[in-house]
Amino acid sequence: MARPRAKGLSRRRKGDVATDRAVYDTIRRAMLMGRLLPGTKLAEPALARVLKVSRERVRKALHRLVHEGWLEAVPNRGTFVPALTVEEVREIYDVRTMLETAIVSRLCAGHGPPEAQRLKAHVGEERIAVRNDDRGRLFGLSGEFHVLLAELCGNEQLSKLLRGLLTRSTMHFSQAAPERFHNCAGPHDHADIVKAILARDTKKAAKLMLDHLLGLAEWQSAWRPPSTPVGIEEAFRGLSAVKRPA
Amino acid sequence: MARPRAKGLSRRRKGDVATDRAVYDTIRRAMLMGRLLPGTKLAEPALARVLKVSRERVRKALHRLVHEGWLEAVPNRGTFVPALTVEEVREIYDVRTMLETAIVSRLCAGHGPPEAQRLKAHVGEERIAVRNDDRGRLFGLSGEFHVLLAELCGNEQLSKLLRGLLTRSTMHFSQAAPERFHNCAGPHDHADIVKAILARDTKKAAKLMLDHLLGLAEWQSAWRPPSTPVGIEEAFRGLSAVKRPA
DNA sequence: TGTCGGAATAATGTGCACATTTGAAATCGA
DNA sequence: TCGATTTCAAATGTGCACATTATTCCGACA
């Protein structure tokens, strides 16, 4: 039929899944960088204006983030950055304890040379980060350690589940200024756990993981995130959805 | 401003979240009833026509179901009923084993009279269902038993997680004709597990749960769902999104 | 002066109109 | 007759317009 287009521009690409990912990643990155504090409202028009995308894209990304537990949606009100209660943090670490003690037990029973190699490599990287006092890298590695343990079990469902739990429990860490991240006990605990796994000492490994998570939960529960909301424009300053400055 | 509406009808209620839930529940119910076989395509116009709702509502419900793992979306192709592989089933039951053995251990260590009462009540209901040969009720109760154990731990995160795992692992059961559901070992296993919990025998309870899940996984993996797709119209015959015949 | 109430404004929610893409039927050629 | 190419219809994806809802602001009244 070749009908002439009514409005002017609208150069529309095909199933542009790349832009969707970019918007989603940008918002998530802003949260990981600690720029979005609990209580902040993510208004759709403001986000669309700042990220230079249409409102529908923002809406879709927000819905996805809500489904994944990063944000909270109130009907007819908007989407907000959630404030995890100490009870929620305790519950999340409780579930993590159940899963991760089982994981280290599993790894003690059945791991081979390649798994041992990856564990030792990760501990080495953490040690380097500590030596260089690279807080940002250490922050990322500390979380990835737990994901690595899950992945070494060779269970994709388990990895996905633990990854979701980690994002929720590290949200607090992110909401604190991540450049101030300092966890001297973390890398040392990780090294001990790996040592126990390599020695196939199941009881010791499980106990170390239990104590490690208990310590993390206690330290995290003691800290309360600030509650002064910040504007959207300044929160996303320097971040862009269309071009990755990476 | 009171601008006259362009088109005729469109009597739109307020933030109608009830319709959204109805559409979502209807599709989910059709899956639980085993009417949607793996490989079936859930086309949006067909669903909208059958359920008597707009396409956007269907679209939103489908997106949610995709995100929760009930369905699979292929870009520009459509939404399909997934076919779980035996490997996925094995992995899901592996994760469930980790969580649920920890749950029964937890319950052995710390449960009071109200928890004991609810456990005994559930076992009683299952016994009644077995006596009456009520397959549908037994099918529901068998799943709820595991959710009940998680809820008795008083951990909301744990309950939500296990609920998601259950929906995925029971999808196979649903895809078999549920009226043919017959699990003579299930209720008996459940009664034994409850007995061990009430006796606070941690090792025995964990072992019983482990064997129970192992048996379920083995039985479930042995069975392969049929792969003859069925039309949308007949799959949703009798089901409605606007009025619940319940 | 403080509070209650209504109007203006901004934001959310949703139906609708196309553009793009896919799948398959139809047509053509060997 | 079979295979490859073209054509066409249906489905998916997305921007847009507008109704509905919440919030804010401002003035009247006690």
Side-chain angles (χ1 to χ4, degrees):
Chain A
M1 207 182 263
R3 174 190 317 234
R5 65 172 59 133
K7 300 300 174 57
L9 44 117
S10 85
R11 180 155 46 106
R12 192 186 301 169
R13 274 90 95 204
K14 57 179 180 178
D16 199 348
V17 76
T19 304
D20 281 340
R21 290 285 314 196
V23 174
Y24 169 85
D25 285 338
T26 302
I27 301 177
R28 217 171 65 104
R29 214 184 320 158
M31 297 190 69
L32 259 342
M33 293 175 71
R35 299 202 189 183
L36 298 177
L37 269 44
T40 305
K41 174 178 177 178
L42 295 179
E44 296 170 6
L47 269 178
R49 185 173 51 246
V50 170
L51 299 181
K52 307 264 187 58
V53 294
S54 70
R55 193 164 74 92
E56 282 69 24
R57 294 285 172 78
V58 174
R59 173 173 275 262
K60 202 193 297 186
L62 289 180
H63 281 154
R64 181 176 170 191
L65 288 164
V66 167
H67 272 305
E68 293 177 357
W70 288 85
L71 299 173
E72 267 179 23
V74 182
N76 294 328
R77 291 279 308 271
T79 310
F80 301 86
V81 179
L84 267 66
T85 66
V86 289
E87 186 63 17
E88 283 177 292
V89 173
R90 193 192 62 80
E91 289 187 358
I92 290 172
Y93 272 99
D94 204 17
V95 177
R96 281 188 59 183
T97 299
M98 293 181 178
L99 279 178
E100 301 204 46
T101 53
I103 286 173
V104 293
S105 301
R106 189 76 47 106
L107 283 179
C108 284
H111 76 265
E115 284 81 9
Q117 184 52 41
R118 289 187 63 181
L119 286 174
K120 283 188 277 191
H122 185 94
V123 170
E125 285 195 50
E126 281 196 6
R127 187 173 302 148
I128 293 175
V130 169
R131 189 167 303 167
N132 297 351
D133 200 48
D134 190 345
R135 304 288 173 87
R137 177 122 184 88
L138 188 57
F139 179 68
L141 285 172
S142 292
E144 284 174 20
F145 172 73
H146 296 265
V147 176
L148 174 64
L149 294 185
E151 283 179 350
L152 290 183
C153 288
N155 188 325
E156 188 60 38
Q157 308 293 324
L158 177 63
S159 301
K160 274 201 286 188
L161 220 64
L162 192 65
R163 212 182 293 269
L165 246 29
L166 261 172
T167 59
R168 289 198 55 112
S169 50
T170 55
M171 206 187 299
H172 260 136
F173 283 122
S174 315
Q175 284 165 353
E179 60 270 12
R180 286 173 44 207
F181 175 71
H182 179 52
N183 184 8
C184 52
H188 196 260
D189 284 0
H190 291 178
D192 286 345
I193 291 172
V194 167
K195 194 181 298 182
I197 291 175
L198 295 180
R200 300 186 188 278
D201 189 340
T202 303
K203 295 215 96 173
K204 185 176 181 183
K207 183 63 166 57
L208 286 174
M209 176 60 84
L210 176 65
D211 291 340
H212 177 55
L213 290 174
L214 248 47
L216 280 179
E218 187 177 1
W219 182 55
Q220 193 163 337
S221 298
W223 177 77
R224 300 288 300 165
S227 57
T228 55
V230 68
I232 297 294
E233 280 76 8
E234 36 190 330
F236 283 87
R237 184 148 306 169
L239 277 64
S240 173
V242 287
K243 55 174 64 176
R244 308 266 194 106
Chain B
M1 209 181 264
R3 177 189 313 232
R5 66 174 59 135
K7 299 300 174 59
L9 44 117
S10 86
R11 179 157 46 106
R12 191 187 301 170
R13 273 91 95 203
K14 57 178 181 179
D16 199 350
V17 76
T19 304
D20 281 341
R21 290 286 312 196
V23 174
Y24 170 85
D25 285 338
T26 303
I27 301 177
R28 218 170 65 106
R29 214 183 320 158
M31 298 190 69
L32 259 341
M33 293 176 71
R35 300 202 190 183
L36 298 177
L37 268 45
T40 304
K41 174 178 177 178
L42 295 179
E44 296 170 6
L47 270 177
R49 184 173 52 246
V50 169
L51 299 181
K52 309 263 186 58
V53 294
S54 70
R55 192 164 74 92
E56 281 69 24
R57 295 285 173 75
V58 174
R59 172 174 276 263
K60 201 193 295 186
L62 288 181
H63 281 153
R64 180 177 171 190
L65 288 164
V66 166
H67 215 86
E68 293 176 358
W70 288 85
L71 299 173
E72 266 180 24
V74 182
N76 294 328
R77 290 279 306 272
T79 310
F80 301 86
V81 179
L84 267 66
T85 65
V86 289
E87 187 62 18
E88 283 177 290
V89 173
R90 192 191 64 78
E91 288 188 357
I92 290 172
Y93 272 99
D94 205 15
V95 177
R96 281 189 59 183
T97 299
M98 293 181 178
L99 279 178
E100 301 204 47
T101 53
I103 285 173
V104 294
S105 301
R106 189 78 45 105
L107 283 179
C108 283
H111 76 267
E115 285 80 10
Q117 184 53 39
R118 289 187 63 181
L119 285 173
K120 283 189 277 191
H122 186 93
V123 169
E125 286 195 49
E126 281 196 5
R127 186 173 302 148
I128 293 175
V130 169
R131 189 167 303 167
N132 298 350
D133 200 48
D134 189 345
R135 304 288 173 86
R137 178 122 184 88
L138 187 58
F139 178 68
L141 285 172
S142 292
E144 284 174 21
F145 172 72
H146 296 266
V147 175
L148 174 64
L149 294 184
E151 283 178 350
L152 291 183
C153 288
N155 188 324
E156 188 60 38
Q157 308 293 324
L158 177 64
S159 301
K160 274 201 285 188
L161 221 65
L162 193 64
R163 212 182 294 268
L165 247 29
L166 261 172
T167 58
R168 288 197 55 111
S169 50
T170 54
M171 205 187 298
H172 260 135
F173 284 122
S174 316
Q175 284 166 353
E179 59 270 13
R180 286 173 45 206
F181 174 72
H182 180 52
N183 184 8
C184 52
H188 196 261
D189 284 0
H190 291 178
D192 287 344
I193 291 171
V194 168
K195 195 181 296 181
I197 291 176
L198 296 180
R200 300 186 189 278
D201 189 340
T202 303
K203 294 213 98 176
K204 185 176 181 182
K207 183 64 165 54
L208 285 174
M209 176 60 84
L210 176 65
D211 291 341
H212 176 57
L213 289 174
L214 248 48
L216 282 178
E218 187 177 0
W219 182 56
Q220 192 163 337
S221 298
W223 177 78
R224 300 288 300 164
S227 57
T228 55
V230 68
I232 298 294
E233 280 76 8
E234 37 190 329
F236 284 86
R237 184 148 306 169
L239 277 64
S240 173
V242 288
K243 55 173 66 175
R244 309 264 194 110

